[in-house]
Structure formats: C-alpha cells, structure tokens
Amino acid sequence: MRKILVAPFVGVVMLAACGTSAERVTVASQDQPGTVITPPPQESTTTTSAPPTSTTSGPAIPTTTRPLPSTTTTTRPATTTTTRPPAKPITVVATPGQYATDVRVKGAGCAGPEYGVTLEIRDPSGQPIDGTGGLASPDGTWELPVSFGPNRPAGQYSFHAKCTVTNGPTVFEYAPQFMTWAG
C-alpha cells in the first residue's frame, strides 16, 4: 500500500481556492519522486454594473435667473518714464503811471471747459503777498492786472500762475516769472 502525502495536494487546492495561480506546483509522495502538476489556466471575468438610475417626478421648482450687474474693467496704461514738457511761460509787462505802476501778467494755453488762472505774487523774501485770478478766454489766453504802488519795498518779485478748473484742481503750472521793482 502506498502512502501519499496529502498535505502538498491540499496546499495546491488551497492555492487555487485563494485565487492565486501557480503555474507549476510540485507534489511529492514518499514512494515517488516529485511530480509536477500544472493547473489549467484560470479565466478571469470582471463584471461592472452601473448604478441604478431612477427619476421621480414631483412639483417643478421655480427658478429665477437674474442678470449679473454689468462691470467695467479699466486697465491702466503702461508706466513709462518720460521727460516733462517745459512749463509754459508767462509775460510780465510793467507800465509806470502817475501814482502806481500798472503790471499786466499774460499767458496762453489754458484752454478747456471752465478753465481759469490763479496768480500768486511773492515779495523779495519769498512770502506770498497778493493773489488774484480769472477765467481764461476760449482760446486759452488770459491777462490779469496787478498794481504796484510806492508802498511796496524794492526788490525782486516773483509771479506764479496756475491753470485750474474753476473751483477745482490745478491742470498745470506756468514757469514762474520775475520782476525787479525799484520802489
């Protein structure tokens, strides 16, 4: 009677049951040298099912579509380094009179809606002493009168004019002009 070791055969069966395929398995018995058993190839099938779909009908939910508010995108122009144009000149013309000297300050280039000119006069120490102003002509020219009397100290006076929007910001400044007053 032959004795067969059952343990190796059970191991092959367990291997097959676990889903692991062994291409070659050696089974040995006490009386026989090892025998090679090759199991048949296993077929593998994968089944995938889609989840069930269902539709239920109920009362319709009203939807409201609101238009989004309009937006405006403003892009800034690229920043470049440029040289500033030279300031526009003003003219100071003094005409001596019997009791005072009539000074006329004139300029051009202050053209725009509601554009005007403000004029500041500074004494020889640089302190502002007088201020005046007025609207510019439609072509951008302007002229402002100032009176210099004998009560003003002698020295160099400076005239600073600005083109502005009436009751608003400065559009640009004119180059200052100087006049020497003999007193």
Side-chain angles (χ1 to χ4, degrees):
M1 179 165 175
R2 286 185 164 177
K3 292 183 182 180
I4 299 177
L5 291 176
V6 178
F9 181 71
V10 171
V12 171
V13 171
M14 287 180 67
L15 242 164
C18 290
T20 306
S21 75
E23 291 182 13
R24 301 184 74 137
V25 178
T26 304
V27 179
S29 68
Q30 199 173 20
D31 297 342
Q32 290 184 341
T35 307
V36 176
I37 301 173
T38 304
Q42 294 181 349
E43 292 183 17
S44 120
T45 307
T46 304
T47 306
T48 305
S49 61
T53 59
S54 64
T55 53
T56 56
S57 61
I61 299 173
T63 59
T64 304
T65 304
R66 293 184 196 163
L68 294 174
S70 63
T71 58
T72 303
T73 302
T74 304
T75 56
R76 292 183 180 183
T79 304
T80 58
T81 303
T82 58
T83 57
R84 183 180 239 183
K88 294 179 181 2
I90 58 174
T91 305
V92 177
V93 179
T95 307
Q98 184 177 359
Y99 300 103
T101 299
D102 182 32
V103 178
R104 299 265 174 196
V105 183
K106 302 175 185 181
C110 188
E114 297 186 26
Y115 277 24
V117 176
T118 60
L119 177 66
E120 179 181 272
I121 302 170
R122 296 183 187 163
D123 67 11
S125 69
Q127 295 298 314
I129 56 167
D130 282 333
T132 186
L135 288 175
S137 299
D139 67 353
T141 60
W142 54 271
E143 183 177 326
L144 298 173
V146 180
S147 180
F148 270 68
N151 59 342
R152 294 196 190 262
Q156 188 176 39
Y157 287 81
S158 61
F159 296 82
H160 303 269
K162 297 178 184 179
C163 178
T164 63
V165 176
T166 305
N167 298 322
T170 298
V171 178
F172 65 88
E173 293 184 23
Y174 288 91
Q177 194 60 254
F178 302 91
M179 177 186 85
T180 302
W181 171 251

